[in-house]
Amino acid sequence: MSSQAHFYLNWAKERIDEMDAMLGTLEGRMSQLTADARAATDKAVADLRSRREAFFGEMKKQSEAGEAAWAQAKQQLDTQWTNFQSEANKSLEKAVQQARQQQTAFEEIAAAQVKSWREAAEKFQASSAEFAADRRAKMEASVQEMKAGASAAEARIQELAKAGAASWSAWSTALTESRAAFDRANQAAWDSFKRSSGQ
């Protein structure tokens, strides 16, 4: 894989991890739903799983592509992600309301986000090893900023979890804010990587 693809793969992997967490949360709540709600949620899960597989297939297809191809593919993937997220949020809101487990669902999805942050930082850190000492120091600074962002996101998530009584809308907003922060940190690390490697 080209080093240019790191930014895009980190972005896509974060979405895949979050999709998996959402699907796992929905599937885990099925037994707690009424028969009618279970049937509707089962149908929604099948549709969401299909959307996840299409997203993953496109991501895999682009895994060896150059930066220009990834930038174009990202637009398509972003649309797929937005559609998945919208449908998943509707299903999750219904499922977790009935099961009265909003906080647990939020924590599961948030944990997937934080895991993606940390994995992306580790990838950037491993990539920086190939640079000369002065360039590596700049890259390491970006990696540390990304790790600090992950820690801040995790702290915010724990703060909300401790508060406990938030609505699904509040949880969803926190996840969106964390995702946007990840995207900014990922972009900053990628920009630093490009500058350090002279691209």
Side-chain angles (χ1 to χ4, degrees):
M1 173 181 66
S2 77
S3 61
Q4 296 174 339
H6 281 298
F7 165 74
Y8 298 104
L9 284 175
N10 287 342
W11 176 89
K13 186 179 179 319
E14 190 278 336
R15 272 41 177 201
I16 289 287
D17 289 348
E18 199 167 333
M19 287 175 172
D20 289 344
M22 288 177 178
L23 285 165
T25 297
L26 279 169
E27 291 168 341
R29 304 298 177 269
M30 294 281 244
S31 65
Q32 300 163 356
L33 303 175
T34 64
D36 290 343
R38 191 176 316 125
T41 302
D42 191 41
K43 184 178 177 198
V45 166
D47 176 59
L48 290 170
R49 187 156 301 285
S50 175
R51 289 175 189 234
R52 186 256 186 230
E53 293 308 316
F55 185 96
F56 182 76
E58 185 63 27
M59 181 187 90
K60 193 171 182 177
K61 183 175 117 180
Q62 297 299 329
S63 66
E64 295 297 324
E67 186 173 4
W70 258 108
Q72 186 176 10
K74 183 180 178 288
Q75 292 176 340
Q76 179 185 352
L77 289 169
D78 198 32
T79 299
Q80 289 177 345
W81 159 251
T82 300
N83 292 337
F84 177 94
Q85 182 186 26
S86 175
E87 290 304 311
N89 277 339
K90 288 177 195 172
S91 297
L92 278 167
E93 186 169 14
K94 289 176 188 174
V96 298
Q97 264 182 348
Q98 186 173 359
R100 299 181 189 270
Q101 295 182 349
Q102 292 177 338
Q103 183 171 341
T104 303
F106 167 75
E107 289 171 355
E108 290 168 357
I109 296 166
Q113 280 189 351
V114 171
K115 179 180 176 235
S116 289
W117 276 68
R118 297 199 187 288
E119 288 174 355
E122 288 171 12
K123 285 179 189 174
F124 277 118
Q125 191 165 28
S127 295
S128 70
E130 66 190 55
F131 298 128
D134 61 328
R135 290 182 175 177
R136 187 171 47 246
K138 290 177 185 173
M139 187 63 197
E140 286 290 328
S142 293
V143 168
Q144 292 309 315
E145 287 177 29
M146 191 171 214
K147 286 180 178 181
S151 294
E154 190 170 29
R156 171 80 172 119
I157 288 163
Q158 289 174 355
E159 179 182 304
L160 274 173
K162 285 180 185 174
S167 67
W168 183 254
S169 175
W171 298 123
S172 185
T173 298
L175 291 169
T176 299
E177 290 169 359
S178 175
R179 190 178 314 108
F182 170 82
D183 289 347
R184 286 189 304 273
N186 189 38
Q187 181 68 56
W190 172 239
D191 291 344
S192 177
F193 182 86
K194 283 178 23 177
R195 281 191 304 274
S196 295
S197 62
Q199 295 181 24

